[in-house]
C-alpha cells in the first residue's frame, strides 16, 4: 500500500526532528503522535528508512492487540461467545487499516486492549499490581494518540471507584497510591504538548453536532468502509445500540452482581463518552470522529459480548451472535483489500500513477512535469524526493506548463477541500483523461495547450 497523506507528514516533518522536539511538541501539531514518531525514529537507527520499517511499530501493535484480545475472550467469555467476540474484534476493516500504517492509532488500540485485560484481572482477582498495569498501558495508549486521554480518565475514575465498595478487598488508599504512580509522570509528559496544541488551536478535527451523530455514526459508517453518508450505517448503528441495551437488561436480570466485568466495561464506555460531551460544552472541543474515536469499538464490543455471556438461555445469545458474526464476516469479505485505507483512499494509486508516468518519461527521454490537487501532494513528493521515479518532476510550485494533473473529484470528510479551486488550475487548458480510478474518484489528466480566447 502506498504512503498516505498523514504518514507523509509524519515521515517528512516529525521524524527528522530531535528526540526532545518530538517529546515537547516543539513546532508540532496534533498530527504528531509522539510515541509512534519516536518508535519510527528508533527503527530508522538501523539505517533502513523505508516505509515498511516506519510501519513496523503498528504491525507489532497488532500482535499485541491480538494476544490480549485472545486472552480476554478465552478467560472471561464462554467458548462460543469468545470465538465470535474475537472474530468481531479483528474482522473490522476500519480497525485493520490502522495496524498497517505509520500512525499512532494502531499503537493506541494495542495498548488499550492490554489495559482492558489488566482491568478485568483487577476486577476479577483484585490484584493491586493489575490496577497499576492497566493504568500504565492506558498511559502508553495516550502517548500513542491523545484522543485516548478520554479512555484513560474513565479508567482512572473506575479504578478508584471500585474500592468504595465494602465487598472490594483493595482499599481506596492503595488504589489512589498506585494511580498516582502513573498519573504524575503522565501529567508531566503531557503538559507541554497539550499546552502547545491548545495555544495553537490545532485540536480542530471532529464534529459539532452530538455524540451519536458524530462519534458513533462515524464509527458505523467507516466500519462499513464508506466515507460518504449512507443510511444503512444509521440503521445498523441504531439496531446495534438497541441490541446492546436489551442484552444488558437481560443479563442484569440473570446476573445482578454490581461490580462485574460487564458493568465496569459499560461504565468505562459511558464515562469516556461523558468526557467527550463535557469537553464539547465546556471548552468547545469537537466530538471525536472516525479514527480519533477508534477506542470505542473494543468497549462497545466487550459491553455487548459480556452481556450476552450472562444469558441463562444460551440459545438466545447464540442466535444473536451467529447473525452478528455473519454480518461482520460478510462486511469484511466485501471490503478487504491490499491497496488502500478508507480515510486516505485517494492516496491508494499514487505509485501506480507515478510508475506509468515514469515509463512515459523514460521512453521519451525527458522529465514529465506533474501537478496535483493538494490531497495527492505530500505522498507524491515523498516518492519523488527519494528519486524512485527519476523521469517525473514535481511541478506544483512553479508556473511552467504541466504535462499531467492529478485531480480528486470528491469532497473529503471533515477536511476542507474545494473541488472547483483544484480544477481551476488546469481548466484554462485543453486536457484529456489519461487514467481514471472510478472507485477512488481519481482522475489523471494529460494537459495540452492553453485554450485560445
Amino acid at each position: 500500500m502506498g504512503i498516505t497523506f498523514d504518514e507523509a507528514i509524519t515521515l517528512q516533518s516529525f521524524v527528522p526532528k530531535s528526540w526532545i522536539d518530538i517529546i515537547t511538541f516543539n513546532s508540532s501539531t496534533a498530527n504528531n503522535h509522539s510515541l509512534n514518531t519516536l518508535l519510527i525514529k528508533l527503527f530508522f537507527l538501523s539505517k533502513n528508512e523505508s516505509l515498511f520499517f516506519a510501519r513496523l511499530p503498528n504491525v507489532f501493535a497488532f500482535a499485541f492487540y491480538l494476544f490480549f484480545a485472545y486472552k480476554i475472550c478465552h478467560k472471561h467469555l464462554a467458548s462460543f461467545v469468545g470465538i465470535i467476540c474475537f472474530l468481531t474484534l479483528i474482522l473490522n476493516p476500519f480497525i485493520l487499516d490502522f495496524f498497517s500504517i505509520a500512525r499512532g492509532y494502531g499503537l493506541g488500540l494495542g495498548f488499550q486492549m492490554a489495559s482492558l485485560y489488566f482491568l478485568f484481572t483487577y476486577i476479577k482477582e483484585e490484584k493491586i499490581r493489575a490496577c497499576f498495569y492497566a493504568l500504565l498501558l492506558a498511559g502508553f495508549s495516550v502517548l500513542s494518540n491523545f484522543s485516548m486521554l478520554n479512555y484513560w480518565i474513565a479508567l482512572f475514575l473506575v479504578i478508584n471507584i471500585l474500592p468504595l465498595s465494602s465487598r472490594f478487598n483493595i482499599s481506596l488508599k492503595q488504589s489512589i497510591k498506585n494511580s498516582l504512580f502513573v498519573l504524575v509522570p503522565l501529567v508531566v509528559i503531557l503538559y507541554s504538548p497539550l499546552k502547545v496544541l491548545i495555544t495553537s488551536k490545532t485540536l480542530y478535527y471532529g464534529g459539532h453536532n452530538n455524540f451519536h451523530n458524530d462519534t458513533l455514526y462515524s464509527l458505523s459508517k467507516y466500519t462499513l468502509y464508506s466515507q460518504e453518508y449512507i443510511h444503512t450505517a444509521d440503521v445498523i448503528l441504531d439496531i446495534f445500540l438497541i441490541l446492546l441495551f436489551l442484552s444488558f437488561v437481560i443479563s442484569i436480570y440473570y446476573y445482578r452482581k454490581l461490580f462485574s466485568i460487564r458493568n465496569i466495561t459499560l461504565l468505562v464506555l459511558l464515562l469516556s463518552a461523558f468526557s467527550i460531551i463535557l469537553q464539547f460544552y465546556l471548552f468547545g472541543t469537537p466530538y471525536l470522529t472516525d479514527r480519533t474515536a477508534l477506542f470505542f469499538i473494543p468497549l462497545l464490543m466487550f459491553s455487548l459480548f459480556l452481556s450476552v455471556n450472562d444469558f441463562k438461555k444460551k440459545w438466545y445469545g447464540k442466535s444473536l451472535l451467529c447473525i452478528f458474526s455473519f454480518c461482520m464476516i460478510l462486511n469484511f469479505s466485501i471490503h478487504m483489500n491490499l491497496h488502500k485505507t478508507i480515510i486516505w483512499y485517494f492516496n491508494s494509486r499514487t505509485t501506480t500513477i507515478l510508475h506509468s508516468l515514469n515509463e512515459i518519461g523514460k521512453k521519451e527521454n525527458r522529465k514529465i512535469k506533474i501537478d496535483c490537487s493538494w490531497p495527492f501532494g505530500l505522498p507524491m513528493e515523498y516518492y519523488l524526493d527519494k528519486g524512485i521515479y527519476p523521469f517525473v518532476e514535481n511541478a506544483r510550485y512553479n508556473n511552467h506548463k504541466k504535462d499531467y494533473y492529478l485531480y480528486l473529484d470528491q469532497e473529503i470528510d471533515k477536511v476542507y477541500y474545494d473541488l472547483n479551486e483544484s480544477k481551476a488550475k488546469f481548466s484554462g487548458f485543453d486536457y484529456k483523461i489519461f487514467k481514471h480510478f472510478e472507485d477512488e474518484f481519481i482522475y489523471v489528466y494529460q494537459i495540452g495547450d492553453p485554450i485560445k480566447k
Side-chain angles (χ1 to χ4, degrees):
M1 186 175 67
I3 195 169
T4 63
F5 189 93
D6 284 27
E7 285 181 295
I9 293 177
T10 299
L11 297 183
Q12 292 171 323
S13 301
F14 302 142
V15 174
K17 290 180 180 290
S18 70
W19 299 88
I20 295 297
D21 283 346
I22 293 169
I23 294 168
T24 59
F25 264 60
N26 184 22
S27 302
S28 289
T29 69
N31 246 318
N32 176 24
H33 297 164
S34 50
L35 184 58
N36 176 63
T37 306
L38 290 169
L39 287 172
I40 294 172
K41 195 173 182 69
L42 182 66
F43 275 61
F44 279 5
L45 292 178
S46 67
K47 303 301 181 184
N48 187 328
E49 297 187 2
S50 66
L51 186 57
F52 175 79
F53 263 64
R55 289 171 169 170
L56 275 181
N58 281 276
V59 175
F60 292 142
F62 185 52
F64 212 56
Y65 177 87
L66 283 176
F67 176 73
F68 283 102
Y70 163 77
K71 292 199 73 168
I72 291 172
C73 294
H74 178 70
K75 189 173 182 180
H76 299 291
L77 297 170
S79 57
F80 181 79
V81 179
I83 289 168
I84 303 300
C85 183
F86 183 73
L87 288 174
T88 302
L89 290 167
I90 61 174
L91 295 182
N92 185 318
F94 185 47
I95 280 182
L96 289 179
D97 279 354
F98 294 95
F99 288 116
S100 60
I101 60 174
R103 303 291 289 139
Y105 303 107
L107 287 168
L109 284 170
F111 286 123
Q112 182 200 18
M113 191 61 72
S115 170
L116 285 170
Y117 170 77
F118 285 106
L119 171 65
F120 295 168
T121 302
Y122 180 59
I123 299 164
K124 200 89 169 179
E125 301 175 14
E126 299 182 18
K127 292 180 178 179
I128 193 66
R129 186 176 293 180
C131 153
F132 171 75
Y133 288 148
L135 284 168
L136 180 65
L137 288 159
F140 281 121
S141 76
V142 175
L143 299 179
S144 304
N145 166 23
F146 286 161
S147 65
M148 296 295 296
L149 190 57
N150 296 283
Y151 166 71
W152 194 94
I153 291 169
L155 184 69
F156 175 84
L157 291 173
V158 164
I159 279 176
N160 290 293
I161 286 171
L162 284 170
L164 297 178
S165 169
S166 57
R167 296 180 182 180
F168 208 73
N169 293 324
I170 293 171
S171 69
L172 181 60
K173 183 179 179 181
Q174 284 179 294
S175 178
I176 291 176
K177 183 181 176 182
N178 267 272
S179 300
L180 288 174
F181 279 126
V182 180
L183 176 63
V184 173
L186 194 61
V187 169
V188 171
I189 294 169
L190 293 180
Y191 176 77
S192 177
L194 289 179
K195 183 180 177 182
V196 169
L197 295 178
I198 292 169
T199 303
S200 61
K201 298 181 179 180
T202 53
L203 296 172
Y204 58 83
Y205 187 86
H208 295 85
N209 298 306
N210 54 62
F211 183 75
H212 178 278
N213 291 352
D214 289 322
T215 305
L216 295 180
Y217 171 74
S218 72
L219 291 175
S220 177
K221 178 181 71 170
Y222 280 103
T223 293
L224 294 178
Y225 230 59
S226 173
Q227 195 199 38
E228 299 177 283
Y229 172 81
I230 49 172
H231 182 62
T232 309
D234 252 334
V235 174
I236 288 175
L237 173 61
D238 291 339
I239 291 172
F240 176 83
L241 293 176
I242 291 168
L243 286 176
L244 175 58
F245 175 75
L246 291 176
S247 298
F248 183 72
V249 170
I250 294 169
S251 67
I252 284 284
Y253 176 77
Y254 288 126
Y255 187 71
R256 301 184 183 183
K257 186 178 178 181
L258 182 62
F259 288 105
S260 65
I261 291 175
R262 174 201 63 208
N263 292 358
I264 296 304
T265 304
L266 188 63
L267 183 58
V268 172
L269 170 63
L270 293 175
L271 286 173
S272 299
F274 180 71
S275 169
I276 294 166
I277 296 166
L278 191 64
Q279 288 175 65
F280 176 80
Y281 284 105
L282 291 181
F283 311 115
T285 307
Y287 288 103
L288 299 184
T289 58
D290 53 79
R291 57 192 183 272
T292 61
L294 270 173
F295 66 91
F296 277 105
I297 293 179
L299 294 175
L300 287 163
M301 293 303 109
F302 282 132
S303 295
L304 174 65
F305 283 94
L306 287 165
S307 296
V308 172
N309 195 61
D310 289 334
F311 286 9
K312 289 294 183 199
K313 294 184 178 180
K314 299 298 183 184
W315 71 270
Y316 289 163
K318 286 185 177 181
S319 301
L320 171 64
L321 295 182
C322 283
I323 296 169
F324 190 75
S325 62
F326 173 77
C327 294
M328 290 297 294
I329 292 169
L330 179 64
N331 180 61
F332 178 75
S333 301
I334 292 170
H335 299 297
M336 65 179 183
N337 72 89
L338 299 175
H339 69 279
K340 69 178 178 181
T341 65
I342 186 57
I343 296 286
W344 299 279
Y345 64 94
F346 44 84
N347 294 141
S348 59
R349 306 293 184 177
T350 306
T351 54
T352 302
I353 294 166
L354 291 177
H355 177 76
S356 297
L357 297 181
N358 191 68
E359 289 301 305
I360 293 171
K362 187 177 181 181
K363 186 177 180 180
E364 297 177 1
N365 195 29
R366 68 183 183 94
K367 288 204 171 188
I368 302 295
K369 295 180 175 62
I370 185 170
D371 195 359
C372 63
S373 305
W374 72 257
F376 303 107
L378 290 180
M380 185 182 77
E381 290 170 15
Y382 171 82
Y383 291 112
L384 296 184
D385 289 347
K386 285 184 171 294
I388 298 173
Y389 303 101
F391 292 95
V392 181
E393 179 184 331
N394 179 12
R396 293 185 70 199
Y397 307 111
N398 62 50
N399 295 320
H400 299 146
K401 180 182 174 297
K402 329 290 182 179
D403 297 309
Y404 292 86
Y405 188 89
L406 275 63
Y407 176 68
L408 177 63
D409 194 32
Q410 188 188 39
E411 292 183 357
I412 303 174
D413 192 21
K414 298 286 183 295
V415 177
Y416 174 76
Y417 170 64
D418 190 329
L419 281 75
N420 293 325
E421 183 182 298
S422 181
K423 200 163 189 174
K425 293 185 72 175
F426 66 93
S427 58
F429 295 83
D430 284 324
Y431 60 88
K432 63 180 180 180
I433 297 173
F434 172 67
K435 282 184 181 293
H436 177 209
F437 301 94
E438 187 175 356
D439 290 345
E440 291 82 28
F441 305 93
I442 299 171
Y443 285 87
V444 184
Y445 290 116
Q446 186 174 359
I447 309 300
D449 295 326
I451 298 173
K452 295 179 181 180
K453 296 182 180 180

